[in-house]
Amino acid sequence: MRFLTRRRRSKAAKPLAILMALFAMGLLYSVASPATQSSAETASPEQIARGKAIFEQTCSSCHGLNGEGTSEGPTLIGVGSMAVDFQMGTGRMPMARPEAQAPAKPTDYSAEEIAAVAAYVQAEFGGGPQVPTSDQYSADGMTSEKLARGGELFKTNCSACHNIEGTGGALPNGKYAPSLEKTSDKHIYEAMRTGPQQMPVFAKGTLTDEDTREIIGYLQTLHAQPEQGGLHLGGLGPVGEGFWAWVLGVGGLSLVAVWLAKKGARAR
Ligand code: HEC
Ligand code: HEC
């Protein structure tokens, strides 16, 4: 303490403090934004050329040779590599035929081919949100509090369309919110950030990367649970929700009971 006050009074202290603050900010920035240095910046001309060839052959008929869009598909200007990675990685794109909603399905493309098209779109069509790094979506080592918080966030933001158990549900006009049971962690993250079709975009201002990791962790625990035989709640929406209300309600009541008992004991 003495040392600090003395230093603060000395002439060197102010610039030193500013320098240290700048250094700390730089450090924070480099820790907070690893995503800024991903695919596109490190993409080689060969990778981009490969992506261009695939794009012109399989995507341009609907999205236009310069990603400007056609009557068959929207513009890809500014969508970025993340949207391409999501759309191709989940098998939605290339769309086989015009329909209300491109279904998720196993993709015919290798990870390298998808990365090449993503790098091409990122480099040539104005750029946009980039493919996330695993530290942005990995839910490793989540505490049970964080998983519970993820469950709350899922309930508030996602369950209206995807159902409380993430098993999906119908939407108006023949569209649907798909089941999330088989979706990879990376694609869950990308869906939240890019908001495909009717799904809203959940930007970092709404859900931080920490929030998205908690949601991903919650979905992992939800879908890792083996079915207990007999009654499968997932298919029965309202029953499933009633069940949860019951569990939470009874859980809450027991907590109150414990609290009352403790209070009673202290009073005595
Ligand atoms: C038969 C036409 C067709 C083909 C071929 C096609 N797309 Fe699409 N694409 C669409 C339509 C229609 C949509 C919007 C509806 C949807 O998302 O389901 C779309 C949406 C997208 C989106 C999301 C855009 C956004 O705003 O988020 C991306 C990214 C995309 N396509 C990339 C590709 C890539 C890459 C290929 C080639 C590998 C491809 N598409 C091939 C028709 C097509
Ligand atoms: C307004 C309804 C709506 C809400 C709210 C919503 N989604 Fe979606 N979601 C959709 C629709 C519709 C699709 C399918 C889009 C498509 O196929 O292009 C989708 C697709 C997805 C996919 C892709 C699944 C796959 O099989 O590839 C994931 C993952 C996802 N949503 C997660 C979430 C999460 C997590 C939240 C909450 C933070 C959320 N969604 C909120 C409607 C919604």
Side-chain angles (χ1 to χ4, degrees):
M1 221 34 233
R2 258 260 198 76
F3 166 77
L4 268 181
T5 22
R6 225 185 309 131
R7 287 294 285 194
R8 208 170 285 150
R9 246 180 267 129
S10 91
K11 278 219 176 100
K14 230 183 197 166
L16 195 74
I18 291 173
L19 244 154
M20 274 167 68
L22 279 176
F23 178 74
M25 266 167 70
L27 206 72
L28 256 178
Y29 184 73
S30 65
V31 168
S33 58
T36 47
Q37 351 133 352
S38 73
S39 49
E41 259 125 46
T42 57
S44 65
E46 294 77 43
Q47 192 188 25
I48 292 176
R50 191 169 175 216
K52 183 178 201 279
I54 299 172
F55 186 88
E56 288 180 350
Q57 203 187 335
T58 30
C59 320
S60 63
S61 58
C62 294
H63 292 290
L65 273 173
N66 299 305
E68 71 277 23
T70 70
S71 56
E72 307 295 316
T75 172
L76 299 184
I77 310 275
V79 299
S81 58
M82 195 198 287
V84 174
D85 191 60
F86 172 78
Q87 297 283 342
M88 287 185 80
T90 58
R92 285 178 166 80
M93 294 290 143
M95 206 169 174
R97 72 195 88 81
E99 51 191 330
Q101 186 171 331
K105 58 182 182 308
T107 176
D108 295 332
Y109 291 86
S110 69
E112 289 73 36
E113 288 170 323
I114 295 174
V117 179
Y120 171 65
V121 169
Q122 178 71 26
E124 300 299 325
F125 300 161
Q130 299 191 35
V131 180
T133 52
S134 65
D135 54 308
Q136 287 175 278
Y137 58 77
S138 162
D140 288 350
M142 284 262 148
T143 60
S144 50
E145 289 82 46
K146 284 185 176 293
L147 294 176
R149 205 172 155 264
E152 286 304 320
L153 289 170
F154 185 82
K155 232 179 283 171
T156 319
N157 295 290
C158 326
S159 65
C161 296
H162 289 283
N163 173 312
I164 190 69
E165 303 202 343
T167 48
L171 295 172
N173 302 324
K175 305 206 172 187
Y176 57 91
S179 161
L180 309 180
E181 285 165 298
K182 296 200 175 74
T183 314
S184 75
D185 297 350
K186 181 172 77 164
H187 292 144
I188 299 176
Y189 180 92
E190 293 177 340
M192 287 188 261
R193 293 294 187 234
T194 62
Q197 290 231 358
Q198 261 96 334
M199 181 164 158
V201 173
F202 294 91
K204 289 191 187 191
T206 313
L207 294 176
T208 64
D209 276 358
E210 185 64 16
D211 294 336
T212 64
R213 276 204 303 274
E214 287 169 359
I215 292 175
I216 290 166
Y218 167 75
L219 286 172
Q220 281 175 352
T221 53
L222 196 62
H223 297 143
Q225 272 156 22
E227 277 178 39
Q228 297 293 320
L231 188 65
H232 176 48
L233 293 164
L236 297 173
V239 175
E241 277 155 41
F243 178 73
W244 273 110
W246 190 81
V247 168
L248 293 179
V250 170
L253 280 178
S254 346
L255 278 179
V256 170
V258 167
W259 178 71
L260 281 176
K262 269 214 178 123
K263 214 176 146 218
R266 225 181 293 132
R268 240 178 278 131

